[in-house]
Amino acid sequence: IGDEGCKALAEALHHNSTLTSINISDNNIGAEGCKALAEALHHNSTLTSIDISGNNIGAEGCKALAEALHHNSTLTSIDIRWNNIGAEGCKALAEALHHNSTLTSIEIRWNKIGDEGCKALAEALHHNSTLTSINISGNSLDENQMSDDIKNLKAMGRLIY
């Protein structure tokens, strides 16, 4: 559907009062489409699950989603794997997790978040008590370089890598 299709979907989500889950994975959506989707999430009060995996939203799209997560109070699950968000996008997402109290599950696999992004997520999990699972596998993390905090989160089952 690309960015234009995602923008049209986002416009519809502004007025949605029944849809609870969307899967727009593998649809060639970039940062611009993701920004439109994020804007819709500021106003939508029914969606509980979004799968936007396999697109190319990048750090900019992820930053927009993160901003929306500051305000959205219905999403419980988000899948953004394979989106090339990098450490920058991951840090924005981690900051949003300091404030979000509804998400319980996030998929961030295969996003090149690196050790820096992983550390930001681990810090966020200390402040967020609703998130029960973050999957960060496939991000080329150096287990030997991980802090004890990160290893403890893995042992508790909250962090998967």
Side-chain angles (χ1 to χ4, degrees):
I1 64 173
D3 284 340
E4 293 307 310
C6 192
K7 289 176 184 178
L9 175 64
E11 181 59 33
L13 289 174
H14 278 281
H15 310 289
N16 169 57
S17 62
T18 56
L19 193 64
T20 60
S21 178
I22 59 171
N23 182 336
I24 50 176
S25 62
D26 300 310
N27 270 293
N28 199 32
I29 297 167
E32 292 306 310
C34 190
K35 288 176 184 177
L37 178 64
E39 177 59 31
L41 292 176
H42 283 277
H43 308 286
N44 183 281
S45 61
T46 58
L47 281 178
T48 59
S49 176
I50 293 180
D51 182 346
I52 192 169
S53 64
N55 288 287
N56 193 25
I57 66 170
E60 290 305 308
C62 191
K63 286 178 183 178
L65 278 178
E67 176 60 28
L69 291 175
H70 278 278
H71 307 286
N72 182 281
S73 61
T74 57
L75 277 177
T76 59
S77 174
I78 189 166
D79 186 340
I80 57 172
R81 64 192 144 132
W82 289 102
N83 265 295
N84 199 31
I85 67 168
E88 189 178 338
C90 189
K91 287 193 283 187
L93 185 62
E95 175 58 31
L97 295 178
H98 284 270
H99 308 284
N100 182 282
S101 61
T102 57
L103 278 176
T104 60
S105 174
I106 300 178
E107 286 279 344
I108 312 177
R109 293 182 279 167
W110 305 102
N111 266 302
K112 303 176 185 172
I113 66 169
D115 295 329
E116 192 177 339
C118 184
K119 288 176 187 173
L121 286 173
E123 173 63 25
L125 284 174
H126 285 294
H127 302 282
N128 182 304
S129 60
T130 56
L131 197 58
T132 57
S133 175
I134 297 182
N135 190 331
I136 58 171
S137 61
N139 276 294
S140 301
L141 304 172
D142 184 353
E143 198 166 331
N144 294 324
Q145 297 295 318
M146 289 185 181
S147 70
D148 288 338
D149 285 341
I150 296 170
K151 291 176 184 174
N152 288 338
L153 290 170
K154 181 183 180 193
M156 292 187 312
R158 291 184 72 193
L159 190 66
I160 302 165
Y161 62 89

